[in-house]
């Protein structure tokens, strides 16, 4: 990830997770899809996180789909795959998504920040936890959309609920 984020590669488009969430939620509401009963409270908490984090930077090449299955070990080292969502974004989202999807412990998060040359002080760790909540909310919002529009037989409502639980 650090190699990707520090590269000169330029992906087309920019990504802001808060804008992505707002777009997903607008679509679900327009299509009269299911929302959890406490959705407004969840959205209010998300807004507080957005205000706390402040403006995100969109000038780093980012993967943006950091499912653990998208990282594989080869004889040449670890490789990232499945780059179709890649865009210019704030690299903190990739770190948070990797941490969330990898179920990293607090100790692992400190290790991640230190190995990424981010000082593992309280502020950086707090910001990572906030961005992990954002990543969970985005995954939940994606599940809400899929629950309404997908024809694939999958429990997208359950997926959304599981990620709202992570957000909480």
């Amino acid at each position: 990830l650090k190699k990707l984020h520090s590269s000169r590669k330029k992906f087309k488009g920019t990504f802001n997770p808060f804008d992505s969430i707002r777009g997903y939620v607008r679509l679900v509401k327009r299509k009269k899809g299911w929302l959890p009963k406490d959705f407004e409270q969840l959205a209010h908490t998300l807004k507080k996180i957005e205000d706390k984090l402040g403006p995100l930077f969109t000038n780093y090449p980012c993967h943006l789909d950091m499912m653990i299955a998208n990282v594989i070990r080869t004889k040449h080292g670890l490789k990232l795959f499945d780059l179709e969502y890649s865009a210019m974004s704030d690299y903190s989202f990739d770190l948070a998504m990797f941490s969330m999807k990898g179920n990293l412990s607090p100790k692992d998060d400190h290790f991640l920040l230190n190995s990424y040359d981010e000082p593992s002080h309280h502020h950086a760790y707090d910001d990572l936890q906030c961005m992990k909540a954002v990543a969970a909310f985005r995954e939940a919002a994606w599940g809400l959309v899929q629950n309404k529009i997908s024809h694939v037989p999958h429990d997208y409502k359950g997926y959304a609920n599981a990620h709202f639980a992570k957000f909480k």
Side-chain angles (χ1 to χ4, degrees), residues 129-157:
Q129 300 315 301
C130 286
M131 190 56 82
K132 283 170 65 172
V134 173
F137 201 112
R138 179 179 164 262
E139 287 296 298
W142 178 86
L144 294 174
V145 169
Q146 297 307 310
N147 185 58
K148 182 62 183 171
I149 68 170
S150 180
H151 299 292
V152 175
H154 183 75
D155 182 13
Y156 290 112
K157 188 175 182 180

Side-chain angles (χ1 to χ4, degrees), residues 68-96:
I68 298 305
N70 289 339
V71 181
I72 64 167
R73 183 181 305 276
T74 72
K75 63 182 178 180
H76 303 291
L78 297 175
K79 300 289 180 191
L80 296 174
F81 284 88
D82 197 14
L83 295 160
E84 75 260 12
Y85 293 119
S86 297
M88 303 306 285
S89 189
D90 192 305
Y91 69 83
S92 66
F93 185 80
D94 271 354
L95 294 179

Side-chain angles (χ1 to χ4, degrees), residues 41-74:
Q41 179 183 354
L42 295 169
H44 177 73
T45 302
L46 180 67
K47 177 65 173 131
K48 287 169 53 174
I49 292 171
E50 182 177 19
D51 292 344
K52 179 189 181 307
L53 290 175
L56 301 179
F57 299 100
T58 57
N59 52 340
Y60 297 97
C62 291
H63 189 278
L64 304 174
D65 191 19
M66 286 308 310
M67 306 298 177
I68 298 305
N70 289 339
V71 181
I72 64 167
R73 183 181 305 276
T74 72

Side-chain angles (χ1 to χ4, degrees), residues 91-109:
Y91 69 83
S92 66
F93 185 80
D94 271 354
L95 294 179
M97 186 80 166
F98 179 79
S99 176
M100 180 193 64
K101 287 299 185 175
N103 294 314
L104 299 188
S105 69
K107 183 179 176 181
D108 294 334
D109 281 345

